[in-house]
Every structure is written in C-alpha cells, then in structure tokens.
Amino acid sequence: MARNEVEKGNYALALKILSDEMRERELSHAKKKIQISDLLHAEGVNGIKSYISEAKLEIRILNTISSERKNVDKITDIYEKLIKLSKEYKVCYEIFYDYAEFLIYENKYQRGIEISSVIIDEYKSSNKAINKQLYAKMLEQSARCYAELDQYEV
C-alpha cells in the first residue's frame, strides 16, 4: 500500500501508512508467533522480514523528502531498531550494511565500525546466514570508517 503511494509521489501519505501503529502491532504479533511454537516460527519470521522491508522503505522516503536533522535522527532510530530485530531473529543482515553506509554518510565513523564489526564477528563465528559477499562488504565499510577516522586524527 505504501509502495503504491511512493510510486505516485505521495510521500506524506506513504509515511503515514508506514508509521501507523498497525505496523507495530503486526511486529508484536510476529514476535509472539515465534515464541509460541515451531509451527508458527516461519510465519513469525516472515512478519519480522516484512516489518524490516517496510521500515527500509520508510528510510528511503525520509532520505528523499529531506535531509533535516530531525529526519536523520528518526532514520538513526529506525536503523537501531532494525539491527536489534535482525540480530535477535537472525534475519535481514544486509540492514547492517545499509546502516553502516548511512553512518559513513553522516560522518559517524566510530558507530560505523561498531556496526560493521557485528557482521564481521558473526561471520567469523560461522553464522551461516551471513554470506561471503556481505562479509566482504562489511570489511570494506569498516576499512572506510577507519580511513576516515585516521584522516581526522592528527
């Protein structure tokens, strides 16, 4: 529904749809399904993935309509919530890359290193959900952050 509004250029309505309390209820419902039983686990995980996908759309809209400080703060809050969900439910690890990229753009290199390190450490601990491509991308992000930090240290 929100995607249709984005295609029409109606970003305000899309944001309203994406920030609706219904999404939070759906997320809560998905978490409960995961806790209840193995039979509902896959359905719950799909709900978490859907929530993350919609939140990524919300981030894209916020980036499109404005670069105001309040939007940067809101985007940061959204990413922080998404990385917690991703790590807790072991889904959508690419959100870490997206967040690290955002942090680099915002000159928040230390946090970018922290975010990159999560994926690097997970990969080294043999987390099968993290592929070599994402691992390599996170190593690159981490290196970019360190290079930027070194540039400012004199």
Side-chain angles (χ1 to χ4, degrees):
M1 191 173 197
R3 292 183 199 283
N4 292 338
E5 296 304 322
V6 170
E7 289 172 10
K8 295 176 190 174
N10 193 348
Y11 299 120
L13 182 55
L15 281 174
K16 184 175 182 189
I17 292 167
L18 291 168
S19 63
D20 186 38
E21 289 180 23
M22 180 70 142
R23 282 183 58 233
E24 294 301 319
R25 284 193 300 271
E26 289 171 357
L27 175 62
S28 178
H29 189 64
K31 288 178 179 181
K32 286 177 185 171
K33 284 182 179 180
I34 290 170
Q35 293 171 348
I36 291 173
S37 75
D38 290 338
L39 295 173
L40 296 175
H41 188 270
E43 190 177 321
V45 168
N46 286 337
I48 302 282
K49 289 178 180 179
S50 177
Y51 181 89
I52 290 172
S53 176
E54 289 173 354
K56 287 170 66 174
L57 176 61
E58 183 177 7
I59 290 167
R60 283 196 305 271
I61 294 168
L62 289 169
N63 275 325
T64 299
I65 61 173
S66 174
S67 62
E68 292 179 19
R69 180 82 240 151
K70 66 179 181 175
N71 281 350
V72 171
D73 292 343
K74 182 169 178 132
I75 290 168
T76 300
D77 291 345
I78 293 168
Y79 271 127
E80 287 292 332
K81 182 174 186 174
L82 296 181
I83 63 169
K84 286 177 186 166
L85 284 171
S86 174
K87 191 167 183 188
E88 181 177 353
Y89 295 99
K90 298 178 181 3
V91 296
C92 304
Y93 283 109
E94 72 281 350
I95 198 68
F96 283 84
Y97 177 81
D98 297 343
Y99 189 28
E101 186 83 6
F102 171 78
L103 291 167
I104 289 170
Y105 182 77
E106 291 298 319
N107 301 321
K108 296 180 180 178
Y109 306 114
Q110 189 60 48
R111 185 67 179 137
I113 291 167
E114 293 166 10
I115 294 301
S116 298
S117 295
V118 171
I119 294 299
I120 293 166
D121 293 345
E122 286 286 320
Y123 182 82
K124 287 179 180 177
S125 71
S126 301
N127 183 333
K128 302 294 184 215
I130 299 171
N131 62 39
K132 285 183 183 180
Q133 292 169 319
L134 179 58
Y135 173 68
K137 286 168 56 174
M138 295 311 289
L139 284 173
E140 182 183 309
Q141 290 292 47
S142 186
R144 284 175 57 196
C145 289
Y146 278 115
E148 290 295 332
L149 280 174
D150 287 345
Q151 187 178 44
Y152 293 108
E153 291 179 4
V154 178

